[in-house]
Amino acid sequence: MSWTASTTGGRIGQLLDAIDFNDRALWQGGIKADGTRRTGALDTGDTITVGNADGSKSALAIIQELLEAERGVLFISKDGKATYEERNSRSRRTSSTTTLTTYALTSQPGFELDNLVNRQAVTRRYQSGAAGTSPNTLANGTTQVTKNDVSVRTFGVIDGQEIETEYVSSDSQALNLGQFIVNIRSSFAAPVTIDMDGGPAAAVTQMLSLELQDRVTVTDANAGTSGDYIIEGIDVEIADGGNRFVTTFTLSEYGTALPFVFGSSTQGTFAPPDGTVTYTVCTNASRPSSPTNGDFILESDTGRYYKRVSGAWVEQTYSRLTY
């Protein structure tokens, strides 16, 4: 097998070309640094080394392995475009597409333990048939394990499915991948499902126009759900002979984490409530003198976490699960 340098997006593009999905007008990427969508091309993703497709794997299997390592998404948009968004596209959505309000929705927040991962193992898999030179060594790398100690103490160990991938080039990149997964999945923030069942014209427009990965603001006074979210799933039902149109959006909380770059970003100190922010260690008597709303502290003498909210320190408490 021969191996060549490529990128995640470049490899996905080759596979799309191979199935004659090659009209660049029907390709698009995610959100660029300037806040606009990339058109006519897929996102770049990571720099990787790829082998020739020898028929041992389907195109879908190859794409799944690529996305497992890069953590981006690939989908066909509502207007029929192949859309590959690299992982950092999410953080470039600096504003919401729209606001979903009470008039046409029912929010259903709920804790789903199955979505939590607070310990992750990643192994760099050797590239069969490649030259025995770095990074394509003829042996697997050392399994890298990363975890969120705060989440582990709260919920116990929840392992993600072990990843063995040829699309990371070193043990340090394998560690970065594990850190990224834990950073975004060790939170206990509840996923939200929104059902929109008809409603005024504005609601129907939202039901028809919103796309996967769009950032939306939810303001639902009835369920008490509010905040910014990313659309992870869309389910559409047409019932009653076409007289009823229901759209269900599955949302994940939008985080404010900076883009994570394999090979240079590192795992920060974890703190509640979302497992990705840093906190200041102090005593009750030596709290920061000029805090900013959103800051976290851990009092070493009391063992309590606090968040700065509206000019005051608010203690953060977390329910523990019994096994």
Side-chain angles (χ1 to χ4, degrees):
M1 179 180 288
S2 60
W3 298 82
T4 57
S6 185
T7 63
T8 311
R11 184 57 158 173
I12 293 173
Q14 290 174 346
L15 296 171
L16 292 176
D17 283 337
I19 61 172
D20 292 330
F21 201 134
N22 50 19
D23 185 349
R24 284 356 185 217
L26 295 178
W27 288 16
Q28 64 181 6
I31 305 303
K32 300 182 293 184
D34 63 4
T36 62
R37 180 176 290 279
R38 188 183 311 279
T39 58
L42 308 177
D43 277 353
T44 301
D46 289 331
T47 298
I48 57 177
T49 304
V50 300
N52 60 296
D54 58 5
S56 61
K57 298 178 183 177
S58 68
L60 179 59
I62 294 173
I63 289 173
Q64 288 173 329
E65 290 182 352
L66 289 165
L67 296 179
E68 180 182 55
E70 198 277 321
R71 313 310 292 184
V73 294
L74 175 69
F75 59 92
I76 304 299
S77 66
K78 288 186 174 181
D79 56 357
K81 294 179 180 177
T83 306
Y84 164 57
E85 297 195 12
E86 61 190 9
R87 63 179 176 275
N88 292 338
S89 176
R90 181 187 182 103
S91 65
R92 299 183 190 123
R93 287 178 160 84
T94 57
S95 61
S96 292
T97 302
T98 190
T99 298
L100 303 178
T101 59
T102 308
Y103 58 69
L105 61 85
T106 301
S107 298
Q108 300 175 0
F111 182 78
E112 293 186 12
L113 187 62
D114 289 345
N115 289 332
L116 272 170
V117 171
N118 55 30
R119 189 172 69 180
Q120 179 66 53
V122 181
T123 304
R124 175 188 55 77
R125 184 172 66 218
Y126 81 94
Q127 296 178 325
S128 177
T133 57
S134 181
N136 303 324
T137 55
L138 295 179
N140 286 356
T142 301
T143 299
Q144 304 295 307
V145 179
T146 186
K147 64 179 179 176
N148 177 339
D149 289 327
V150 170
S151 181
V152 167
R153 288 196 299 270
T154 303
F155 303 111
V157 174
I158 304 174
D159 285 311
Q161 182 175 354
E162 186 170 352
I163 294 174
E164 186 177 299
T165 176
E166 62 192 30
Y167 297 119
V168 295
S169 62
S170 64
D171 288 346
S172 63
Q173 286 199 1
L175 179 63
N176 287 161
L177 175 55
Q179 289 170 338
F180 178 80
I181 293 169
V182 169
N183 276 343
I184 64 174
R185 294 191 60 189
S186 59
S187 164
F188 61 87
V192 171
T193 299
I194 289 180
D195 293 324
M196 299 185 70
D197 189 349
V204 175
T205 298
Q206 291 173 333
M207 295 162 68
L208 292 171
S209 63
L210 287 173
E211 185 62 271
L212 291 171
Q213 297 298 298
D214 277 349
R215 176 179 169 181
V216 296
T217 299
V218 175
T219 305
D220 181 6
N222 292 334
T225 300
S226 64
D228 280 11
Y229 296 85
I230 295 292
I231 298 177
E232 304 286 3
I234 302 175
D235 183 72
V236 174
E237 178 185 1
I238 300 175
D240 297 340
N243 293 314
R244 188 180 179 201
F245 179 49
V246 181
T247 301
T248 301
F249 296 106
T250 301
L251 313 177
S252 65
E253 190 174 40
Y254 175 79
T256 56
L258 294 175
F260 195 96
V261 181
F262 292 171
S264 59
S265 294
T266 58
Q267 180 177 336
T269 304
F270 291 111
D274 66 2
T276 61
V277 296
T278 59
Y279 58 85
T280 299
V281 179
C282 61
T283 65
N284 181 268
S286 64
R287 291 177 172 178
S289 58
S290 301
T292 301
N293 287 336
D295 287 353
F296 288 85
I297 60 172
L298 167 60
E299 292 183 349
S300 58
D301 53 340
T302 67
R304 295 176 177 175
Y305 289 98
Y306 292 85
K307 180 181 180 180
R308 192 72 174 181
V309 180
S310 300
W313 290 110
V314 178
E315 184 177 358
Q316 305 295 290
T317 58
Y318 312 100
S319 57
R320 293 183 178 272
L321 303 181
T322 302
Y323 299 90

